[in-house]
Amino acid sequence: MDDAADLGRFLVRSAHESESDALVGIDSVAVGGDAGRRASIRRWCQQGLVVVAEDTSGLLGYCVVEYTFFEQGFVTMLMVAPSARGRGVGRRLLDAAAASCTTPKLFTSANVSNQPMQRLLQKAGWIPAGLLHGLDEGDPELFYLHRPQNGRTHV
């Protein structure tokens, strides 16, 4: 992915390591006091795995792609600030993740209870790939696979 891509109303670009505190500030789980999430955000930023969306008001959301899921791309985290939801930020971040993925397949997952994420993935052309019980007790994890939209080899 290019360092920055102007996608209309906001910019999608690689995050800077120094932005981890700002990302913590827009992450509803981290803001709620989850120390593990805060540590993950810092680690992801240090490792250069984060793509952010921003406009003139500041950061709107972020996305993390890792390659630890059977050596395939995996969207580990997609977070959009509550105030920026419904503006297409999540979709643009998913599109950026797909465009920058270096493996033939790109996966992600969402809890069964996370209906907004499931709707976003379906609208973005991701296809269901499986269901896993036992990660979050009583809330199975739905896995999705990126479907090619532009002739790339994501299958």
Side-chain angles (χ1 to χ4, degrees):
M1 183 174 117
D2 294 338
D3 188 44
D6 185 358
L7 297 173
R9 301 169 296 184
F10 46 86
L11 181 76
V12 173
R13 61 167 176 79
S14 297
H16 305 291
E17 186 175 341
S18 62
E19 293 178 300
S20 64
D21 288 339
L23 291 174
V24 164
I26 65 166
D27 186 302
S28 57
V29 174
V31 167
D34 189 309
R37 176 66 67 84
R38 290 179 177 159
S40 292
I41 291 169
R42 286 185 181 88
R43 178 177 44 82
W44 293 327
C45 286
Q46 289 168 347
Q47 294 174 341
L49 301 174
V50 182
V51 173
V52 297
E54 69 178 343
D55 66 8
T56 56
S57 70
L59 294 175
L60 305 173
Y62 73 96
C63 183
V64 177
V65 176
E66 296 181 284
Y67 294 90
T68 55
F69 185 72
F70 298 96
E71 298 183 4
Q72 298 297 315
F74 192 90
V75 177
T76 304
M77 180 59 56
L78 177 67
M79 178 61 68
V80 176
S83 62
R85 293 179 184 164
R87 294 177 44 195
V89 174
R91 174 68 184 262
R92 296 282 177 88
L93 287 167
L94 281 177
D95 289 348
S100 68
C101 184
T102 61
T103 59
K105 297 176 185 176
L106 180 61
F107 292 90
T108 196
S109 68
N111 287 98
V112 167
S113 64
N114 190 345
Q115 294 292 313
M117 180 65 168
Q118 291 175 51
R119 284 190 299 273
L120 171 61
L121 291 167
Q122 290 168 358
K123 287 179 185 176
W126 291 63
I127 57 173
L131 179 68
L132 179 66
H133 293 270
L135 288 177
D136 294 324
E137 202 59 42
D139 196 5
E141 197 81 11
L142 292 167
F143 283 78
Y144 290 85
L145 172 63
H146 175 66
R147 176 186 290 170
Q149 297 291 319
N150 58 6
R152 291 179 55 100
T153 58
H154 299 283
V155 291

